[in-house]
Amino acid sequence: MNKNDLIDDVDDVYALYQEVIIDHSQHPRHCHCMTDASHQADGYNPLCGDNITLYLTVKDNCITDASFQGQGCAISTASASLLTECIIGKTTDEALSLFERFHRVVTDKQQTDDTAQLGKLMILAGVKAYPARVKCATLAWHTLQAALTRATQPATTE
Ligand code: ZN
């Protein structure tokens, strides 16, 4: 079977998405501590036991660098890895509105116009069929929101 046959099949698109999730969970991008971070927050998903610490370098309202450390399931690790890739180079406002759009897509039953703007984050949209996994997929984003708004309490998905 060639690659084009695979892409024509919706189920196999999700299989490809899963490959990306597995790749990001096994080889997470930007997975390291940042000692000179300007923003930092911890996140915890008690339902699954996922823990992450997110580090940001923000200059003139622009996120110039992002990294994370943590322990969690494949979905939470892949989501944090994809998050760091997506937010570097964005303004803090753009990152927060991306969080809102991403959150709507993974929690709403309805399809929205937002999907077109999410790019590779759509890879994680498949989790909306599994409510428990939504918290794994959104943990890094809740933590991002906490870091950017300088919340003093650790972020939680509860
Ligand atoms: Zn998890």
Side-chain angles (χ1 to χ4, degrees):
M1 193 186 294
N2 70 40
K3 206 97 185 165
N4 287 332
D5 290 337
L6 279 173
I7 291 167
D8 283 342
D9 187 323
V10 171
D11 286 339
D12 285 325
V13 169
Y14 279 100
L16 289 177
Y17 282 3
Q18 279 198 327
E19 276 180 34
V20 175
I21 290 172
I22 290 165
D23 176 46
H24 273 268
S25 66
Q26 291 180 342
H27 308 284
R29 320 305 195 257
H30 310 286
C31 184
H32 56 83
C33 178
M34 198 190 294
T35 52
D36 56 349
S38 62
H39 295 60
Q40 177 178 338
D42 297 318
Y44 178 50
N45 172 18
L47 209 67
C48 179
D50 309 315
N51 264 302
I52 79 156
T53 302
L54 187 71
Y55 306 93
L56 303 173
T57 302
V58 179
K59 286 181 188 139
D60 299 327
N61 283 323
C62 183
I63 298 167
T64 57
D65 200 7
S67 70
F68 76 100
Q69 277 195 312
Q71 288 196 311
C73 65
I75 300 271
S76 69
T77 303
S79 180
S81 174
L82 284 160
L83 175 144
T84 57
E85 281 202 326
C86 288
I87 63 168
I88 292 172
K90 290 207 161 38
T91 66
T92 54
D93 284 348
E94 285 168 345
L96 286 172
S97 79
L98 198 59
F99 163 78
E100 283 166 20
R101 285 204 295 268
F102 177 68
H103 198 257
R104 271 204 302 273
V105 166
V106 296
T107 54
D108 279 10
K109 297 275 179 278
Q110 294 172 328
Q111 280 287 12
T112 68
D113 295 341
D114 295 326
T115 54
Q117 297 164 50
L118 284 173
K120 70 170 105 175
L121 293 177
M122 280 308 296
I123 290 162
L124 289 161
V127 301
K128 72 177 166 187
Y130 310 94
R133 307 307 265 168
V134 168
K135 299 192 173 195
C136 302
T138 55
L139 174 64
W141 292 88
H142 284 287
T143 310
L144 169 72
Q145 193 182 37
L148 287 176
T149 54
R150 292 187 180 278
T152 50
Q153 296 294 317
T156 172
T157 52
E158 293 304 300

